Amino acid sequence: MKEFKLAQPQNLAQVTSLPSDQRYFLMAGGTDLLDEIKNEIIDPGVVVDLKSIPDLAYIRSTDEKIRIGAMTRVSELAENSTIKTNYPVLHEAALSLATPQLQNVGTVGGNLCQRPRCWYYRDPQVECRKKGGSRCYAARGRNRYHAILGGGICHIVYPSDLAPALISLDAEATIATANGDRTVPLEEFYTLPRVDVRKENILKANEILKEVKIPPSKNEGKSTYVKLKERGTWDFALVSAAVCGIVSGNTFKDIKIVLGGVAPIPWRLEKAENLLKGNPVTDDVVKQAAKEALSDARPLKENAYKQDLAAIAVSRAVLSLV
Amino acid sequence: MGTKQNKKGKAYTRRDFLKGFGGGAIGAAVVPKILAQESASIETKKGKIPVCSKKQVTLTVNGEKYTLVVEPQETLLDVLRERLNLTGTKKTCNQGECGGCTVLLDDEPVYSCLYLAFRADGKDIRTIEGLAEKENLHPVQQAFIDTDAYQCGFCAPGFIMSTVGYLETQGNSQSNMKLNMEDIKTAISGNICRCGNYDQIYKAVAEAAKKMGRS
């Protein structure tokens, strides 16, 4: 692995006030960052070790919200009994993610800020748009695992399992900046390539995702995460569906559906949600909503199958709420 | 190499032989402490952030303490293999996909290829070399032999460490629960066997679980 220097700040204020004349690479668990350095996709020069900062790993219940520190490890999230009982979609997403070895090291913040898995992006020989080049090679190249929605100038899919789950729970992201913290809905944290093709989220230089907050769970609410993969064992999602909702008297009172693996950001299915709300829970209603939801999809040459998979993931997840 | 040597008597290995030819004793010199204390830093409005290109760490590996100076990009895997001569931990994919480099870090399985050595400072590390007590193999090692879970054997140290981690500690919160095959498959899902000897490996884990009172 190429050499780099190690910066070990004592607090977040030091990270948010790093001089802007140089780009610094922040390391949480490091499982994705080290992979990028080893594959020579990045040459960081200086790596900023976030583990040297105390008090960033916690799962706390305060003001009826659950607050999850960015440096909380995925294994800690998966084992947390409150999350398991009250937020099954998040528990299931954490368990579905990578392997025991990676869950023991990878963090919630790192998972939410990881870089895409697109094989052109991960290939050091390829200078694609995301790396400052002028083309998206997936548009006309091999695109079996790429986006069917929201791609446009860059067809990556956002690989995080936790992001769709947290968005379905109306989670918020707290971002530390040089001027203090700001909080945004996690749904607004991610940005499409057309906003800035080099980035996947709203973080500006020297800003850092510090915490996610989940509102109190609704008593009658239910949630689940359905992940469809190519392999029986661990893998990134081909398509995943995070669903959170309330079914009362055999009618969808409230529902939120977020897909993973189909777009450069976690993809909210508001159209399907509106088709379900107020309607009785039947196979036909659900299948129709799932189909309609994907009618905007613009598959590439090799990934039209994701449209069918998405409809299946949505139906399966929604029906399991009953 | 560490300032404290492994006490176990060790035969002259192929690795030592090759090293001898390669200009000799790579890293054998004891690095003075002073090298670890660099004074570089990044100035920020909120104070100086210390920056270093070397760091002194103390690792406890299989019960032995080693104090050594590492560079930030050195992985735990490279330190174990190249500097402590513990080559039972395998470098295979070297990018966190195959599990051949699995070790226990404070009792939890991790990929040592994606874990930087400086972060292991003060931690307790167990490798395949630390499992057997003298002539007595660990129950998981014995189960792998008894059920013929080795083919080429290259992935075995990783599988065994994942299994030990799971059976000894990770599953302890539910230690009275019986393991089923799904639990076993999940516990070792981070390891790959290119020979495809999974059926025998699952049997070995189940056998070890039985020996360790977990099924």
Side-chain angles (χ1 to χ4, degrees), chain A residues 264-317:
Chain A
I265 58 172
W267 198 262
R268 173 99 183 267
L269 291 185
E270 275 183 283
K271 213 170 170 184
E273 292 168 12
N274 292 332
L275 285 168
L276 291 171
K277 273 183 214 164
N279 280 318
V281 183
T282 64
D283 271 11
D284 284 349
V285 167
V286 172
K287 274 184 190 150
Q288 188 57 29
K291 207 178 146 196
E292 279 293 315
L294 277 301
S295 58
D296 302 342
R298 296 283 172 272
L300 303 165
K301 199 175 166 202
E302 297 177 347
N303 68 2
Y305 74 96
K306 281 197 177 187
Q307 219 167 334
D308 299 333
L309 282 191
I312 291 165
V314 169
S315 308
R316 217 180 264 178

Side-chain angles (χ1 to χ4, degrees), chain A residues 95-308:
Chain A
L95 276 185
S96 80
L97 184 167
T99 65
Q101 289 96 322
L102 290 169
Q103 289 175 7
N104 284 334
V105 177
T107 65
V108 172
N111 182 272
L112 294 176
C113 296
Q114 68 188 295
R115 302 309 310 276
R117 306 301 311 176
C118 168
W119 44 34
Y120 295 108
Y121 170 72
R122 295 272 162 176
D123 184 338
Q125 309 291 327
V126 175
E127 190 76 356
C128 73
R129 262 195 198 119
K130 191 161 269 304
K131 289 188 279 190
S134 58
R135 281 181 64 185
C136 170
Y137 290 85
R140 284 158 169 259
R142 305 307 306 266
N143 46 38
R144 182 176 165 76
Y145 301 113
H146 291 76
I148 56 171
L149 286 155
I153 57 170
C154 165
H155 295 276
I156 63 146
V157 296
Y158 202 68
S160 168
D161 287 300
L162 300 183
L166 284 164
I167 292 170
S168 78
L169 292 167
D170 291 322
E172 295 173 313
T174 303
I175 298 165
T177 79
N179 307 312
D181 294 350
R182 66 187 166 113
T183 299
V184 297
L186 188 63
E187 194 175 349
E188 291 166 23
F189 180 74
Y190 293 100
T191 52
L192 285 169
R194 64 169 178 261
V195 176
D196 179 350
V197 72
R198 304 291 297 269
K199 288 165 48 174
E200 294 83 45
N201 58 49
I202 58 172
L203 291 179
K204 297 188 196 110
N206 300 344
E207 289 189 342
I208 176 170
L209 176 65
K210 178 183 164 183
E211 181 183 87
V212 286
K213 276 187 283 199
I214 319 173
S217 63
K218 298 160 193 141
N219 279 339
E220 69 277 44
K222 287 185 176 171
S223 68
T224 194
Y225 188 67
V226 169
K227 179 173 177 178
L228 304 177
K229 310 170 287 186
E230 202 164 43
R231 305 197 303 157
T233 183
W234 85 280
D235 206 348
F236 291 97
L238 291 172
V239 173
S240 65
V243 174
C244 190
I246 299 170
V247 177
S248 137
N250 207 36
T251 302
F252 289 107
K253 221 169 118 192
D254 194 15
I255 192 152
K256 202 160 178 186
I257 310 170
V258 187
L259 294 186
V262 294
I265 58 172
W267 198 262
R268 173 99 183 267
L269 291 185
E270 275 183 283
K271 213 170 170 184
E273 292 168 12
N274 292 332
L275 285 168
L276 291 171
K277 273 183 214 164
N279 280 318
V281 183
T282 64
D283 271 11
D284 284 349
V285 167
V286 172
K287 274 184 190 150
Q288 188 57 29
K291 207 178 146 196
E292 279 293 315
L294 277 301
S295 58
D296 302 342
R298 296 283 172 272
L300 303 165
K301 199 175 166 202
E302 297 177 347
N303 68 2
Y305 74 96
K306 281 197 177 187
Q307 219 167 334
D308 299 333

Side-chain angles (χ1 to χ4, degrees), chain A residues 46-67:
Chain A
V46 179
V47 166
V48 179
D49 177 25
L50 298 176
K51 232 179 175 177
S52 64
I53 302 172
D55 301 327
L56 291 178
Y58 52 83
I59 302 177
R60 286 182 201 134
S61 305
T62 44
D63 329 329
E64 296 185 323
K65 289 190 177 179
I66 301 275
R67 307 162 87 97

Side-chain angles (χ1 to χ4, degrees), chain A residues 74-93:
Chain A
V74 175
S75 56
E76 291 164 332
L77 184 68
E79 284 158 17
N80 186 279
S81 58
T82 309
I83 304 276
K84 191 175 177 182
T85 312
N86 297 337
Y87 307 96
V89 63
L90 186 54
H91 172 73
E92 290 164 19

Side-chain angles (χ1 to χ4, degrees), chain A residues 6 8 28 38 49 73 104, chain B residues 52 55 94 108-109 113 119:
Chain A
L6 182 69
Q8 294 192 293
K38 284 187 181 197
D49 177 25
R73 295 179 302 149
N104 284 334
Chain B
C52 67
K55 228 174 151 52
N94 201 26
E108 295 177 337
C113 75
R119 280 192 164 172

